[in-house]
Amino acid sequence: MTRTDETITMTSGEFAHLGEGSVAYLRKVSSEELLGRFPNLGEIAPGMVLWALFAANGQPILLSDAKDRALAGAMENDLTTVAIH
């Protein structure tokens, strides 16, 4: 990473790891969407609405049927959460 005046330049590799281990995003997802994105997820009932917590790089961390449980999981792992709409 280089800094000139007020501009910070990152390499694509540095950008890919931005927020890693400290930031996660919370998103409401359908079970169909999860199966499409993560084919190795296993058996999950269609038509379910779940809360998913993803690492900054998009890797799933946990799934829950309740938003507060997903947020608690983030807190337990010392992650700062952001919501994706």
Side-chain angles (χ1 to χ4, degrees), residues 10-20 56-58:
M10 298 177 139
T11 66
S12 58
E14 289 170 330
F15 186 70
H17 294 287
L18 183 66
E20 193 171 75
N57 66 1

PDB file of all heavy atoms in Angstrom, residues 10-20 56-58:
ATOM      1  N   MET A  10      -3.836   0.740  -3.288  1.00  0.00           N
ATOM      2  CA  MET A  10      -3.678  -0.647  -2.861  1.00  0.00           C
ATOM      3  C   MET A  10      -3.496  -1.531  -4.081  1.00  0.00           C
ATOM      4  O   MET A  10      -4.081  -1.266  -5.127  1.00  0.00           O
ATOM      5  CB  MET A  10      -4.920  -1.139  -2.114  1.00  0.00           C
ATOM      6  CG  MET A  10      -5.250  -0.434  -0.879  1.00  0.00           C
ATOM      7  SD  MET A  10      -6.790  -1.135  -0.233  1.00  0.00           S
ATOM      8  CE  MET A  10      -6.410  -1.200   1.463  1.00  0.00           C
ATOM      9  N   THR A  11      -2.750  -2.586  -3.894  1.00  0.00           N
ATOM     10  CA  THR A  11      -2.675  -3.589  -4.953  1.00  0.00           C
ATOM     11  C   THR A  11      -3.970  -4.388  -4.917  1.00  0.00           C
ATOM     12  O   THR A  11      -4.717  -4.351  -3.925  1.00  0.00           O
ATOM     13  CB  THR A  11      -1.490  -4.545  -4.732  1.00  0.00           C
ATOM     14  OG1 THR A  11      -1.747  -5.313  -3.542  1.00  0.00           O
ATOM     15  CG2 THR A  11      -0.171  -3.793  -4.613  1.00  0.00           C
ATOM     16  N   SER A  12      -4.246  -5.133  -5.967  1.00  0.00           N
ATOM     17  CA  SER A  12      -5.465  -5.956  -5.978  1.00  0.00           C
ATOM     18  C   SER A  12      -5.415  -7.003  -4.869  1.00  0.00           C
ATOM     19  O   SER A  12      -6.433  -7.336  -4.274  1.00  0.00           O
ATOM     20  CB  SER A  12      -5.680  -6.605  -7.341  1.00  0.00           C
ATOM     21  OG  SER A  12      -4.573  -7.411  -7.692  1.00  0.00           O
ATOM     22  N   GLY A  13      -4.240  -7.515  -4.555  1.00  0.00           N
ATOM     23  CA  GLY A  13      -4.098  -8.486  -3.472  1.00  0.00           C
ATOM     24  C   GLY A  13      -4.391  -7.881  -2.117  1.00  0.00           C
ATOM     25  O   GLY A  13      -5.056  -8.490  -1.279  1.00  0.00           O
ATOM     26  N   GLU A  14      -3.909  -6.661  -1.892  1.00  0.00           N
ATOM     27  CA  GLU A  14      -4.197  -5.969  -0.636  1.00  0.00           C
ATOM     28  C   GLU A  14      -5.693  -5.677  -0.511  1.00  0.00           C
ATOM     29  O   GLU A  14      -6.281  -5.848   0.552  1.00  0.00           O
ATOM     30  CB  GLU A  14      -3.414  -4.656  -0.556  1.00  0.00           C
ATOM     31  CG  GLU A  14      -1.930  -4.834  -0.353  1.00  0.00           C
ATOM     32  CD  GLU A  14      -1.147  -3.542  -0.522  1.00  0.00           C
ATOM     33  OE1 GLU A  14      -1.568  -2.659  -1.296  1.00  0.00           O
ATOM     34  OE2 GLU A  14      -0.095  -3.431   0.134  1.00  0.00           O
ATOM     35  N   PHE A  15      -6.292  -5.246  -1.615  1.00  0.00           N
ATOM     36  CA  PHE A  15      -7.722  -4.945  -1.600  1.00  0.00           C
ATOM     37  C   PHE A  15      -8.546  -6.199  -1.311  1.00  0.00           C
ATOM     38  O   PHE A  15      -9.526  -6.150  -0.578  1.00  0.00           O
ATOM     39  CB  PHE A  15      -8.152  -4.327  -2.935  1.00  0.00           C
ATOM     40  CG  PHE A  15      -9.574  -3.864  -2.946  1.00  0.00           C
ATOM     41  CD1 PHE A  15      -9.960  -2.759  -2.208  1.00  0.00           C
ATOM     42  CD2 PHE A  15     -10.537  -4.538  -3.673  1.00  0.00           C
ATOM     43  CE1 PHE A  15     -11.273  -2.326  -2.200  1.00  0.00           C
ATOM     44  CE2 PHE A  15     -11.853  -4.117  -3.677  1.00  0.00           C
ATOM     45  CZ  PHE A  15     -12.225  -3.007  -2.935  1.00  0.00           C
ATOM     46  N   ALA A  16      -8.128  -7.333  -1.855  1.00  0.00           N
ATOM     47  CA  ALA A  16      -8.850  -8.593  -1.649  1.00  0.00           C
ATOM     48  C   ALA A  16      -8.875  -9.003  -0.178  1.00  0.00           C
ATOM     49  O   ALA A  16      -9.792  -9.682   0.261  1.00  0.00           O
ATOM     50  CB  ALA A  16      -8.229  -9.707  -2.486  1.00  0.00           C
ATOM     51  N   HIS A  17      -7.875  -8.560   0.574  1.00  0.00           N
ATOM     52  CA  HIS A  17      -7.791  -8.937   1.987  1.00  0.00           C
ATOM     53  C   HIS A  17      -8.273  -7.839   2.924  1.00  0.00           C
ATOM     54  O   HIS A  17      -8.193  -7.988   4.145  1.00  0.00           O
ATOM     55  CB  HIS A  17      -6.363  -9.339   2.341  1.00  0.00           C
ATOM     56  CG  HIS A  17      -5.931 -10.582   1.645  1.00  0.00           C
ATOM     57  ND1 HIS A  17      -6.378 -11.834   1.986  1.00  0.00           N
ATOM     58  CD2 HIS A  17      -5.111 -10.769   0.576  1.00  0.00           C
ATOM     59  CE1 HIS A  17      -5.855 -12.729   1.179  1.00  0.00           C
ATOM     60  NE2 HIS A  17      -5.079 -12.111   0.311  1.00  0.00           N
ATOM     61  N   LEU A  18      -8.795  -6.761   2.373  1.00  0.00           N
ATOM     62  CA  LEU A  18      -9.275  -5.647   3.183  1.00  0.00           C
ATOM     63  C   LEU A  18     -10.399  -6.114   4.115  1.00  0.00           C
ATOM     64  O   LEU A  18     -11.359  -6.729   3.685  1.00  0.00           O
ATOM     65  CB  LEU A  18      -9.785  -4.530   2.270  1.00  0.00           C
ATOM     66  CG  LEU A  18     -10.254  -3.252   2.944  1.00  0.00           C
ATOM     67  CD1 LEU A  18      -9.069  -2.566   3.612  1.00  0.00           C
ATOM     68  CD2 LEU A  18     -10.889  -2.327   1.922  1.00  0.00           C
ATOM     69  N   GLY A  19     -10.264  -5.855   5.372  1.00  0.00           N
ATOM     70  CA  GLY A  19     -11.282  -6.233   6.351  1.00  0.00           C
ATOM     71  C   GLY A  19     -11.215  -7.676   6.808  1.00  0.00           C
ATOM     72  O   GLY A  19     -11.974  -8.092   7.676  1.00  0.00           O
ATOM     73  N   GLU A  20     -10.318  -8.437   6.264  1.00  0.00           N
ATOM     74  CA  GLU A  20     -10.206  -9.859   6.603  1.00  0.00           C
ATOM     75  C   GLU A  20      -9.945 -10.040   8.097  1.00  0.00           C
ATOM     76  O   GLU A  20      -9.066  -9.430   8.666  1.00  0.00           O
ATOM     77  CB  GLU A  20      -9.061 -10.470   5.798  1.00  0.00           C
ATOM     78  CG  GLU A  20      -9.029 -11.966   5.811  1.00  0.00           C
ATOM     79  CD  GLU A  20      -7.992 -12.476   4.819  1.00  0.00           C
ATOM     80  OE1 GLU A  20      -6.786 -12.388   5.115  1.00  0.00           O
ATOM     81  OE2 GLU A  20      -8.410 -12.935   3.747  1.00  0.00           O
ATOM     82  N   ALA A  56     -15.467 -10.689   5.078  1.00  0.00           N
ATOM     83  CA  ALA A  56     -15.265  -9.580   4.142  1.00  0.00           C
ATOM     84  C   ALA A  56     -14.986 -10.069   2.724  1.00  0.00           C
ATOM     85  O   ALA A  56     -15.347  -9.418   1.754  1.00  0.00           O
ATOM     86  CB  ALA A  56     -14.121  -8.696   4.629  1.00  0.00           C
ATOM     87  N   ASN A  57     -14.387 -11.260   2.592  1.00  0.00           N
ATOM     88  CA  ASN A  57     -14.080 -11.792   1.261  1.00  0.00           C
ATOM     89  C   ASN A  57     -15.230 -12.605   0.661  1.00  0.00           C
ATOM     90  O   ASN A  57     -15.093 -13.188  -0.402  1.00  0.00           O
ATOM     91  CB  ASN A  57     -12.810 -12.640   1.302  1.00  0.00           C
ATOM     92  CG  ASN A  57     -12.968 -13.904   2.131  1.00  0.00           C
ATOM     93  OD1 ASN A  57     -14.035 -14.187   2.670  1.00  0.00           O
ATOM     94  ND2 ASN A  57     -11.899 -14.670   2.247  1.00  0.00           N
ATOM     95  N   GLY A  58     -16.374 -12.645   1.345  1.00  0.00           N
ATOM     96  CA  GLY A  58     -17.544 -13.332   0.816  1.00  0.00           C
ATOM     97  C   GLY A  58     -17.732 -14.766   1.272  1.00  0.00           C
ATOM     98  O   GLY A  58     -18.735 -15.397   0.955  1.00  0.00           O
TER      99      GLY A  58
END
